[in-house]
Amino acid sequence: METNITNLQVETLASLKSYADAAKVSAPITPPPPPPPSKPPQPKPPLKRNLLPQAVIQTKGKTDPKSLPSFVDLVTTLNKSLHKHPKHSHVRVVGVKWTAASNLVVCAEAPSPSALVNTLKGVQASITSNLLIIKDIIPNTRWSRVTLSHVFTGKEPDSPAYSPEALHEELFTHNPNYMSFIIRQYPSWIRNPKNFTNGQTSSISFAFEDPDGTHAQCLIGTSLTAFGNLRCTLKAWVSPKKTAQKP
């Protein structure tokens, strides 16, 4: 039996210096290992409590705080009422709080504030009979407050500083961004307007509906027009520091 050996094979064999080198040449080529399996997408973390939808249960009349049900009893009763209804069992109340007007703010895992309102209205009968007399249930839409600087006060020897109504009318007339907001608190002077000097500029603040805070974030650093000044700058609201009263 004849064996045909090519010149390349001869050169390869001639270059071998040991049995180990020969084993390397004759060993089969091992394919590379397969890539590791891709990780499945991680579930989104649950929303923080302060970002969950909220609703306000308005009660009839102001109630003595001592006679109000405890937070634990309220959350337990609300969740039991929701669990009994198949349409509302996906909603879970995580916290409640009473307001100064004896209204109940409800924070829950729900698709939206309006969906939470509809859900609570669906079990209103059981809530009313067990806990409190309900007047109405409305969404608890969050507000954002911003500061607008370099606004002409309008203070002159024969006229006081502009009123909140005048400030609102001026901003509403000349600023499309301001027109698009649902204003909840009219613009007001941060400093006492009685201390203004003639022709002075000062800062005002106003509040508007901002469910997730994105409107305020987009506004910070931009400008609005007020009384001819094009450079009234919007800034983040900072609560003024309380000065200690002298004894």
Side-chain angles (χ1 to χ4, degrees):
M1 181 177 178
E2 296 181 356
T3 303
N4 296 326
I5 301 177
T6 63
N7 293 334
L8 178 61
Q9 290 175 324
V10 172
E11 293 177 359
T12 302
L13 293 174
S15 63
L16 299 178
K17 298 180 180 180
S18 64
Y19 289 107
D21 293 340
K24 292 179 181 179
V25 173
S26 60
I29 300 176
T30 304
S38 58
K39 295 182 180 180
Q42 298 296 326
K44 295 182 179 180
L47 287 174
K48 296 181 180 180
R49 180 167 296 187
N50 60 351
L51 296 179
L52 291 174
Q54 296 183 4
V56 179
I57 299 178
Q58 297 178 330
T59 61
K60 292 184 178 180
K62 196 168 184 178
T63 310
D64 182 7
K66 295 181 180 179
S67 64
L68 296 174
S70 67
F71 295 149
V72 176
D73 292 340
L74 286 167
V75 172
T76 302
T77 303
L78 288 170
N79 282 328
K80 284 183 178 179
S81 300
L82 294 170
H83 186 70
K84 291 179 181 178
H85 294 74
K87 292 183 179 180
H88 310 309
S89 59
H90 64 286
V91 176
R92 186 177 71 89
V93 176
V94 298
V96 295
K97 69 176 181 180
W98 291 106
T99 67
S102 298
N103 294 326
L104 185 66
V105 179
V106 180
C107 179
E109 295 175 351
S112 65
S114 58
L116 176 58
V117 169
N118 294 333
T119 298
L120 293 175
K121 286 184 176 180
V123 297
Q124 180 173 342
S126 59
I127 299 174
T128 302
S129 60
N130 291 323
L131 297 176
L132 62 165
I133 301 175
I134 297 176
K135 179 182 178 182
D136 195 7
I137 303 176
I138 60 174
N140 186 30
T141 306
R142 295 171 181 82
W143 300 356
S144 285
R145 179 179 292 277
V146 293
T147 301
L148 186 64
S149 62
H150 304 102
V151 179
F152 286 114
T153 62
K155 177 70 171 63
E156 297 295 342
D158 56 348
S159 61
Y162 294 120
S163 65
E165 291 76 14
L167 293 169
H168 170 74
E169 182 66 23
E170 175 67 16
L171 294 175
F172 186 86
T173 303
H174 298 96
N175 300 278
N177 287 343
Y178 186 89
M179 293 172 58
S180 64
F181 295 141
I182 300 177
I183 303 299
R184 288 304 182 186
Q185 288 186 353
Y186 272 13
S188 59
W189 299 107
I190 297 177
R191 295 176 54 196
N192 188 344
K194 294 181 179 180
N195 299 330
F196 291 158
T197 58
N198 297 336
Q200 183 182 358
T201 62
S202 190
S203 298
I204 61 176
S205 69
F206 58 90
F208 52 91
E209 288 191 5
D210 192 8
D212 55 3
T214 55
H215 293 320
Q217 293 176 2
C218 294
L219 283 177
I220 301 304
T222 62
S223 300
L224 295 180
T225 300
F227 305 108
N229 186 3
L230 304 178
R231 296 184 178 181
C232 298
T233 306
L234 284 158
K235 302 178 181 179
W237 165 254
V238 179
S239 300
K241 296 181 180 179
K242 295 182 179 180
T243 56
Q245 296 181 354
K246 296 182 180 180

